[in-house]
């Protein structure tokens, strides 16, 4: 009998008989996990020597093993509420959306406020949003809060607006129009204040469980005072520490001007004062800040929420405190303000320190040649969402309506970012677009604008290792000895190499190149099915009946 004071030996596991996606061995079929780390990667012949010495052998039966995905931009509680509540993203018409609101109100008699998300008037044949009177009728007179699909504007019925007495005086309020800006934030705060701790926890559990079922092993939670409260963030971080599931890395989007203020935010247990720290809004809501007016609203150029001076102060303070800084910036004018501000901060605290901090920008959609070059020079990470182009790109998409065809075609230039050496981290901005890492990789590889397409391998790396690098970690998101045992098993078809340039594809598919294959993500085909997700050596999802 061993001494009770001696630490127990880490449990060992041999996975064999599959395809292991690893740069350590492009032809690997087996992997050994020891405790919470990868111990060995290799082929079947070498695996025989481990078989008798491990605690368990898992026969993969041809399954693909990959690093678990990281979603670099998520709103966890809102995602859970959309999964378990009123999600209008699939409503085909305005009339159907109102019918769903009525049904939801009837099914939730005890909710103080009815919460919903996902409506998009441009997707409906009526081409308009519900009127206040229609919302009042559908809600039965109970407070109703419905965020637009981009979450940058919202609809509210009369009872909901009555909960914010000064709503009519706030910026962004217009009678019988979607709420934007300060008016939206005030109504959102009032709506979410009615959630009980139990409701929040249930939503967070639902979101994490759904993420795990998709092979996601880590989430970057983008919280902030204009999005969710500190209680919501603290509760989520505590839940992730206590219960199995994807890791949660928190960001808190609050502007600071001193290292002391930045250190206070660090005390929340977050990685950075970053995420959705808004430099502007969204294209769908006409609030992304543009250098030239919107094509479909020539009197509007969006909302400038931060100037270069504020950005510079924030980045300098965060850099001094050893904390990541970051911003939400979509329009070309907003991105110009952010890069100018980061450059000013570099002049204050030193460019080497700014680069080492790996500050990040969320969305970064409307880059110019200059701002793209600034990203590379300042070592800014681009945290991007390919699902945006899949949903709103193309000649007939929302981007083209908002901006005109020429400007719309410039959006989300992933290939140019990679060519410039800008680090990419992929995410969903869920619930804006759904969690779905393979779908995001497909969207990046088959971008509506051909010149912006990147290889499946490049997108895959950005959705695995890229998310960890965005946190400042270079030792994770990849299956190599010593890396964390965060991985997923997949049922999929034959593995291939897909690249937008045939010259690349021609050499990389040659076995002599040693390029590991990945699933065929040609549009129209089925994405891989997750069989198991493991985080830190612990199974957090197992597909039923597998």
């Amino acid at each position: 009998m061993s001494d009770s004071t001696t630490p127990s030996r880490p449990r060992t596991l041999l996975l064999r008989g599959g395809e292991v996606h690893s740069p350590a061995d492009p032809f690997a079929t087996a992997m050994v996990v020891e405790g919470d780390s990868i111990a060995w990667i290799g082929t079947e012949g070498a695996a025989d020597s481990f078989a008798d010495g491990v605690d368990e052998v898992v026969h993969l039966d041809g399954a693909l093993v990959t690093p678990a995905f990281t979603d670099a931009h998520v709103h966890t509680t809102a995602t859970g509420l959309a999964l378990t509540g009123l999600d209008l993203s699939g409503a085909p018409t305005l009339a159907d959306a109102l019918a769903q609101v009525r049904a939801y109100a009837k099914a939730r008699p005890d909710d103080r406020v009815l919460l919903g998300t996902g409506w998009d008037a441009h997707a409906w044949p009526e081409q308009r949003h519900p009127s206040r009177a229609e919302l009042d009728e559908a809600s039965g007179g109970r407070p109703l809060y419905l965020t637009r699909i981009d979450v940058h504007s919202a609809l509210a019925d009369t009872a909901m607006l009555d909960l914010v007495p000064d709503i009519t005086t706030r910026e962004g309020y217009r009678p019988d129009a979607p709420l934007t800006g300060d008016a939206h934030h005030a109504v959102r705060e009032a709506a979410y204040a009615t959630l009980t701790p139990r409701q929040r926890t249930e939503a967070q559990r639902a979101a994490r469980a759904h993420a795990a079922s998709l092979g996601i092993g880590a989430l970057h939670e983008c919280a902030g005072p204009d999005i969710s409260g500190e209680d919501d963030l603290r509760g989520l971080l505590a839940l992730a520490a206590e219960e199995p599931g994807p890791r949660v890395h928190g960001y808190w989007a609050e502007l600071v001007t001193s290292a002391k203020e930045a250190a206070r935010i660090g005390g929340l247990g977050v990685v950075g004062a970053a995420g959705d720290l808004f430099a502007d809004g969204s294209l769908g809501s006409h609030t992304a800040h543009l250098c030239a007016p919107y094509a479909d609203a020539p009197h509007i150029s969006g909302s400038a929420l931060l100037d270069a001076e504020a950005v510079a102060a924030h980045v300098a303070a965060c850099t001094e405190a050893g904390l990541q800084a970051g911003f939400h910036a979509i329009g070309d004018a907003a991105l110009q303000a952010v890069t100018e501000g980061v450059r000013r901060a570099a002049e204050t605290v030193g460019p080497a320190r700014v680069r080492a901090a790996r500050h990040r920008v969320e969305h970064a959609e409307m880059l110019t040649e200059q701002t793209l070059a600034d990203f590379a020079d300042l070592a800014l990470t681009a945290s991007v969402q390919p699902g945006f182009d899949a949903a709103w790109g193309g000649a007939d998409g929302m981007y083209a309506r908002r901006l005109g065809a020429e400007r719309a075609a410039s959006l989300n230039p992933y290939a140019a970012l990679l060519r410039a050496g800008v680090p990419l981290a992929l995410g969903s901005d869920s619930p804006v677009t759904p969690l779905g890492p393979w779908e995001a990789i497909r969207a990046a590889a088959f971008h509506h604008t051909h010149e912006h397409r990147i290889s499946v391998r490049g997108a895959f790396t950005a959705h695995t290792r890229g998310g960890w690098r965005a946190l400042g970690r270079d030792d994770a998101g990849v299956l190599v000895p010593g890396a964390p045992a965060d991985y997923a098993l997949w049922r999929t078809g034959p593995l291939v190499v897909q690249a937008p340039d045939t010259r690349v594809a021609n050499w990389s598919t040659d076995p002599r190149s040693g390029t590991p294959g990945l699933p065929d993500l040609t549009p129209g085909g089925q994405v891989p099915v997750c069989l198991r997700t493991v985080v830190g050596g612990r199974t957090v999802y197992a597909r039923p009946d597998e």
Side-chain angles (χ1 to χ4, degrees), residues 291 332 335-336 366-373:
C291 292
D332 50 359
L335 285 160
Q336 183 176 316
M366 206 172 176
L367 290 159
T368 63
E369 287 187 14
Q370 182 58 56
T371 51
L372 195 151

Side-chain angles (χ1 to χ4, degrees), residues 456-479:
V456 166
R457 183 186 182 195
F460 175 84
T461 300
H463 221 333
T464 50
R465 200 169 193 178
W468 283 97
R469 285 174 166 166
L471 298 167
R473 291 275 303 272
D474 293 328
D475 62 338
V478 62
L479 300 182

